[in-house]
Amino acid sequence: STEPALSHEPAATRAAELRHELDYHAYRYYMLDAPEITDAAFDKMLVELQEIESAYPDLITPTSYTQRVGGYVSDQFAPVTHMARMYSMDDAMNLEELDAWLERTENALGAGRVTYTCELKIDGLGVAITYENGAFVRAATRGDGTTGEDVSLNVRTIQDVPMHLSEKALVHMGTDRDRVIEVRGEVYMPKGSFVRLNDEADAEGRDPFANPRNAAAGSLRQKDPKVTAKRDLSTFIYAIADTTPLHVHSQHEFLNWLRDAGFHVNPNVASCKTPTEVHEFCADALAHRSDLDYDIDGVVVKVDSFQQQSDLGFTARAPRWAIAFKFPPEEKTTVLREIRVQ
Ligand SMILES: NC(=O)c1c(N)nc(OC2CCCC2)nc1O[C@@H]1CCC[C@@H]1O
């Protein structure tokens, strides 16, 4: 006997098709800055999906593109315990302290046997994002490193945060693809968006934010996701609670996996084979700091090999296999606000 088709089977199929299309085109627009369709065509698909979902609410899924700009103000910020501790790092305040760390590391692992991965140190706020079976389920602030606040509805509005991991990334995970994974990164506000936001605040007689980091933190703590959605937040993802399910063996391989999975990974990363190359990366990053559209407060130098990372392990506070080389606070060209004549 043929099962009576669910009253809305065709709608369910069409909804799934539209969701896949909307995710793909949103990725091309926001992540690659290379749309294949017009905004009007995108909106037409979004409206069609919204109509199907309002006709058949049981078809709504939490990761549907229609849910990106959360529709409701909820009791966000419930406490969330991270899958694993979110470590901070020891700081190197100058080249001497950086060299001391490099020397210690070379001694411990064997001179000339260490490759370092150098990354820009994004000055945003730490966030942990959890995926189950490749779908976004939760996002939390770093908090004290063990417990943070649930900011899922607000992080879901950030367009460069994927709602589903790519098939390529899941294939790479093999049978571990259904493992729960928790990636870590920074939420930041691009400098351009920060200036626009403060100009709006000025025009509306509200206090401006002191810097992009505070603006990002304030935007992520919004009770109403519709407000967060307008703040043009972005992310750079760089770590994960447990790399086991990914079958990757070094930081640079892991960053490639993140990119393939659909995460926004900072492009200014380099493999440095010697302390001299590490110095060059740091000097280059400092020289180009003001050209970036986001704030950085230094360079993160990591031992690339995960085997060597576990050989070095952690102190109570931080990994021995990473150091934050800090830059001096950026002397901002303070834009003199034209005094508004009342
Ligand atoms: N802010 C950053 O850009 C950054 C980075 N690119 N890479 C790491 O790797 C850490 C994570 C695990 C141990 C090393 N941490 C970063 O920021 C940390 C997070 C919390 C305190 C620092 O800001």
Side-chain angles (χ1 to χ4, degrees), residues 87-89 119-122 142 186 238 300 302 319 321:
Y87 281 94
S88 59
M89 288 173 286
E119 301 170 15
L120 298 183
K121 188 170 183 301
I122 311 302
R142 185 168 170 277
E186 295 294 293
Y238 49 69
V300 180
K302 299 173 182 176
W321 44 264

Side-chain angles (χ1 to χ4, degrees), residues 5-20 48-49 51-53 55-61 64:
L6 278 172
S7 63
H8 47 265
E9 189 54 36
T13 308
R14 181 62 184 147
E17 211 171 80
L18 285 165
R19 263 182 220 127
H20 183 77
E48 186 187 346
L49 179 56
E51 284 165 356
I52 294 176
E53 290 183 350
Y56 306 109
D58 60 311
L59 289 180
I60 296 175
T61 61
S64 169

Side-chain angles (χ1 to χ4, degrees), residues 118-121 281-282 285 297-301 323-327:
C118 292
E119 301 170 15
L120 298 183
K121 188 170 183 301
F281 183 92
C282 294
D297 57 345
V299 165
V300 180
V301 184
I323 192 82
F325 175 61
K326 303 288 289 209
F327 290 162

